[in-house]
Amino acid sequence: MDRVKKNIIRNIIMLYGLSIAKIVFPLITLPYLTRVLTVDTYGTVSYVKTIMTYLQLTVDFGFMLSGTKDIVKGKQNGEDLGKITGDILLARIILGIIAFAVLVGLIIVLPILRENVLYTFLSYVSVFFSIFLFDYVFRGLEEMQVITIRFVIMKGIAAALIFVFVHNDTQIIWIPILDCIGSLLAVALVWIEIKKRNLHIKLMSLSRSLNKLGESAIYFASEMATTAFGALNTVLIGVFLSKSDVAYWSLCITMISAVQAMYEPINSGVYPDMVKNKDLKVIKRTLSIFMPIVTVGCVFTIFVAKYALLFVGGKQYVDAAGLLRALTPVLFISFPTMLFGWPTLGAFGKAKEVTITTIVTAVAQIIGLLILMAMGRFELIEIALLRGITELLMFVSRVGFCFKFRKEFRIR
């Protein structure tokens, strides 16, 4: 087995470890929180978490992709690597300040946030700390083990202490406090790794950082549009429906996202190799291996939805079984959709096309939500079915672009 293949396998294994951790920690705390908190309070916790998803995307600004690409290209020169990292760091600090200003505005206009101001502000602290975790650096260096280890430590501490400090609705303030403690330790560990590699981060100039923002804007637009499928739905459910509806939707989406997290290491493991070698055979082989597994998993989810909700959320969430079944098609379609995105089109320099497919689909989702509102059908099942339809639209559009540019693809 050659070195390239070994690197891909190692990276996929480490990213799978990361994805398993992302699944395990919520599955450890989620059943506990859904039982010690009332449905409305759990809905509040989930709603604030959704808002933080938007702010995290703002702070990341697509640098997990564009930054990784820059590091891959510049990692042969230590000085260039330090400059790239410094430019992105300054850009993300600026974004962190902007995101905080946006959060203040959201607190003013959104009742759920306004009723939980301290909880909301503390939740943002972990988002700001993520600026100093440098995941894109270690992705570009193909040292995924650093990302995996720091995440396990960060979330492991927070998850373990939740059982100690959170026992009822009055103690939810400990949730963001514990996240902050875990994030601080993770930052310290990551900086130790940075020093070990003699990476000297150089803050060059504001103009260079602004240029990095411009270069990454297309990636940000794509990732922000992607959140319209999940986060925007939760935000609107919180505005127009009840806190209990937020809780039902959030629990089902969390379970769907946990499965989708298993897709991410495959895409992340393939992406650096596709950037370097541009061999479409890797994509075909990946689909042939994993799609049968995805199919079996989706069928299984439909049959055991009620029992899965009983196990994860408790008996007060069993009524959401129909919602979980309605969201299952998203699981089936999203794997090839993701694979034909950045690992395929993006790796072939078609970032614009990836972004177009995402934005167009996001617009379709928003229009669909507005139609549901106008028809008086803005209900959880209808929103879930709409989510599946728009995911299919994204898949078809990305396959269409792959067909359009098929002559540029390398197939061995």
Side-chain angles (χ1 to χ4, degrees):
M1 186 180 294
D2 60 36
R3 185 182 62 83
V4 172
K5 290 182 179 179
K6 286 182 178 179
N7 283 341
I8 293 175
I9 292 173
R10 183 191 65 189
N11 290 336
I12 289 178
I13 290 172
M14 293 309 303
L15 284 168
Y16 248 112
L18 177 62
S19 293
I20 290 171
K22 287 181 178 180
I23 294 169
V24 168
F25 289 126
L27 288 181
I28 291 173
T29 58
L30 182 59
Y32 176 74
L33 290 176
T34 54
R35 286 165 172 81
V36 300
L37 303 179
T38 62
V39 174
D40 282 358
T41 300
Y42 178 72
T44 297
V45 170
S46 300
Y47 194 78
V48 173
K49 183 178 179 181
T50 298
I51 297 298
M52 293 307 131
T53 299
Y54 274 109
L55 299 181
Q56 185 69 65
L57 282 168
T58 301
V59 170
D60 289 344
F61 207 76
F63 284 120
M64 291 304 124
L65 288 168
S66 68
T68 297
K69 197 170 186 178
D70 288 343
I71 296 296
V72 168
K73 293 179 178 179
K75 66 182 179 181
Q76 302 302 323
N77 188 311
E79 185 175 350
D80 287 347
L81 200 60
K83 291 178 180 178
I84 292 169
T85 306
D87 292 340
I88 296 175
L89 175 61
L90 180 56
R92 295 189 71 197
I93 291 173
I94 295 170
L95 292 167
I97 296 170
I98 294 172
F100 179 77
V102 171
L103 178 61
V104 172
L106 291 173
I107 290 173
I108 294 172
V109 300
L110 295 176
I112 295 180
L113 301 188
R114 198 162 56 244
E115 294 166 5
N116 301 272
V117 175
L118 180 59
Y119 183 94
T120 303
F121 278 134
L122 287 173
S123 297
Y124 178 71
V125 173
S126 291
V127 173
F128 190 80
F129 283 163
S130 70
I131 292 170
F132 307 99
L133 292 177
F134 302 106
D135 281 4
Y136 57 91
V137 173
F138 297 106
R139 286 178 184 269
L141 294 175
E142 298 184 77
E143 297 184 19
M144 311 303 184
Q145 72 277 5
V146 176
I147 302 172
T148 301
I149 292 170
R150 74 90 185 153
F151 181 87
V152 169
I153 292 173
M154 179 175 72
K155 293 301 181 181
I157 291 173
L161 292 178
I162 280 177
F163 293 97
V164 177
F165 291 99
V166 182
H167 304 294
N168 54 56
D169 289 359
T170 63
Q171 298 171 327
I172 62 168
I173 196 65
W174 279 105
I175 297 175
I177 291 175
L178 298 174
D179 279 339
C180 291
I181 293 172
S183 296
L184 268 176
L185 182 56
V187 168
L189 292 173
V190 165
W191 276 92
I192 291 172
E193 295 294 333
I194 290 286
K195 294 297 183 182
K196 282 182 181 178
R197 288 156 180 79
N198 294 316
L199 176 57
H200 302 290
I201 299 174
K202 299 179 180 180
L203 301 178
M204 301 300 292
S205 68
L206 180 61
S207 62
R208 284 174 59 99
S209 293
L210 292 177
N211 285 337
K212 286 295 180 186
L213 287 174
E215 293 171 5
S216 194
I218 191 167
Y219 297 92
F220 167 71
S222 178
E223 292 189 342
M224 181 59 80
T226 301
T227 64
F229 303 129
L232 179 60
N233 293 332
T234 306
V235 172
L236 292 178
I237 289 168
V239 174
F240 295 103
L241 301 179
S242 66
K243 289 182 180 179
S244 60
D245 285 325
V246 174
Y248 292 147
W249 177 266
S250 297
L251 180 62
C252 291
I253 283 294
T254 298
M255 295 172 70
I256 294 294
S257 298
V259 178
Q260 288 178 316
M262 299 296 289
Y263 303 163
E264 178 57 31
I266 302 170
N267 288 278
S268 296
V270 166
Y271 180 69
D273 183 63
M274 288 293 291
V275 170
K276 288 185 290 185
N277 300 311
K278 296 180 171 57
D279 186 358
L280 197 62
K281 186 178 180 181
V282 175
I283 301 299
K284 291 186 173 183
R285 185 186 300 118
T286 302
L287 284 172
S288 66
I289 293 172
F290 290 102
M291 276 310 295
I293 300 173
V294 170
T295 302
V296 171
C298 290
V299 173
F300 182 74
T301 301
I302 291 173
F303 281 103
V304 303
K306 178 180 177 180
Y307 303 102
L309 286 165
L310 179 64
F311 174 77
V312 175
K315 61 182 180 181
Q316 65 269 39
Y317 291 92
V318 170
D319 289 342
L323 175 60
L324 183 58
R325 293 189 184 101
L327 284 166
T328 303
V330 176
L331 285 179
F332 180 77
I333 304 168
S334 60
F335 178 73
T337 300
M338 293 166 64
L339 198 60
F340 281 115
W342 294 113
T344 305
L345 288 171
F348 281 89
K350 306 301 179 183
K352 177 182 176 182
E353 284 72 15
V354 177
T355 303
I356 288 173
T357 62
T358 308
I359 292 177
V360 168
T361 312
V363 171
Q365 174 81 7
I366 294 169
I367 292 173
L369 292 171
L370 292 174
I371 292 173
L372 290 178
M373 291 178 191
M375 295 174 61
R377 299 292 301 273
F378 192 75
E379 302 293 340
L380 295 182
I381 297 295
E382 282 77 2
I383 297 170
L385 294 175
L386 173 64
R387 175 68 183 84
I389 292 170
T390 52
E391 186 71 27
L392 179 61
L393 174 61
M394 180 184 286
F395 169 72
V396 171
S397 60
R398 287 183 175 179
V399 170
F401 274 122
C402 287
F403 182 78
K404 178 179 179 181
F405 299 112
R406 63 191 182 280
K407 293 182 179 179
E408 300 180 28
F409 295 161
R410 177 185 177 190
I411 305 176
R412 292 186 294 185

